[in-house]
Amino acid sequence: MSIGHTLLGLLESGPRHGYDLKRAFDAKFGHDRPLHYGQVYSTMSRLLKNGLVEVDGIEAGDGPERKRYAITEAGVTDVARWLATPEKPEPYLQSTLYTKVVLALLTSRDAADILDTQRSEHLRGMRALTERKRRGDLADQLICDHALFHLEADLRWLELTAARLDRLREAVSR
């Protein structure tokens, strides 16, 4: 996820302080990975340097001065371009799980056990996501669906690999 673009998009609704941006980000996108304050302020500093935001005001408080940021026209254009650009699909061609299976075969370990253990872990994760989806709002349901679909694809791969394990053993042993 592009944190800079996300913060810019949040600024389109109006100027905000870094603290407010962090809270809005965490509420909408940071359920599992909230932003650190340092990350917000370093990103805002970069966006300011690049002319995508401007300081809309500075307020004195008990602590350090609080800057209020506003998005510039260049920032709006940048967000629009980012939103219109499709994400490159991630084909997962360098899978750690595949590497573990092949190394198990090469070292005469039981690759079927690795697949079984991974299948159990995937199913545990799917149960947790399904429960979270059941309790969550629409945004959380959609995030959980995305993760569940990826885990389902992984499970299909685990089954297919288990069915082809003898052939894979022969292929990697050459």
Side-chain angles (χ1 to χ4, degrees):
M1 172 189 314
S2 170
I3 293 169
H5 287 111
T6 305
L7 295 176
L8 284 172
L10 290 171
L11 281 173
E12 282 199 51
S13 64
R16 297 182 191 212
H17 296 98
Y19 175 81
D20 297 327
L21 283 168
K22 180 203 174 348
R23 284 190 10 209
F25 182 98
D26 289 352
K28 298 289 185 198
F29 310 107
H31 292 113
D32 296 318
R33 195 179 283 168
L35 282 180
H36 297 286
Y37 285 104
Q39 197 172 9
V40 172
Y41 292 110
S42 64
T43 301
M44 295 311 297
S45 177
R46 182 178 44 81
L47 295 173
L48 185 64
K49 184 177 89 172
N50 292 335
L52 302 176
V53 298
E54 60 191 9
V55 175
D56 186 58
I58 299 176
E59 299 171 9
D62 294 338
E65 293 180 332
R66 292 182 42 171
K67 292 180 185 173
R68 188 175 54 245
Y69 298 95
I71 192 169
T72 63
E73 284 302 314
V76 171
T77 301
D78 198 54
V79 170
R81 186 180 313 115
W82 178 69
L83 290 172
T85 304
E87 292 297 309
K88 182 179 178 186
E90 297 179 29
Y92 301 106
L93 293 177
Q94 293 297 319
S95 166
T96 302
L97 185 53
Y98 171 78
T99 301
K100 286 182 174 186
V101 170
V102 170
L103 283 175
L105 294 172
L106 289 173
T107 58
S108 301
R109 289 182 171 88
D110 193 346
D113 280 351
I114 291 172
L115 294 170
D116 288 342
T117 300
Q118 192 63 49
R119 184 181 304 105
S120 294
E121 186 63 17
H122 270 61
L123 291 171
R124 185 199 60 72
M126 290 175 81
R127 283 190 296 275
L129 284 168
T130 300
E131 178 59 23
R132 176 177 167 179
K133 179 182 165 182
R134 188 184 64 73
R135 291 181 284 110
D137 61 10
L138 180 59
D140 216 28
Q141 291 169 9
L142 290 170
I143 290 168
C144 288
D145 280 338
H146 187 261
L148 284 164
F149 293 150
H150 281 276
L151 290 174
E152 286 174 7
D154 285 351
L155 280 177
R156 289 195 313 269
W157 182 86
L158 290 167
E159 295 300 325
L160 180 66
T161 302
R164 294 179 174 173
L165 212 45
D166 290 334
R167 288 177 42 207
L168 181 60
R169 183 178 288 108
E170 289 176 26
V172 300
S173 298
R174 293 183 194 154

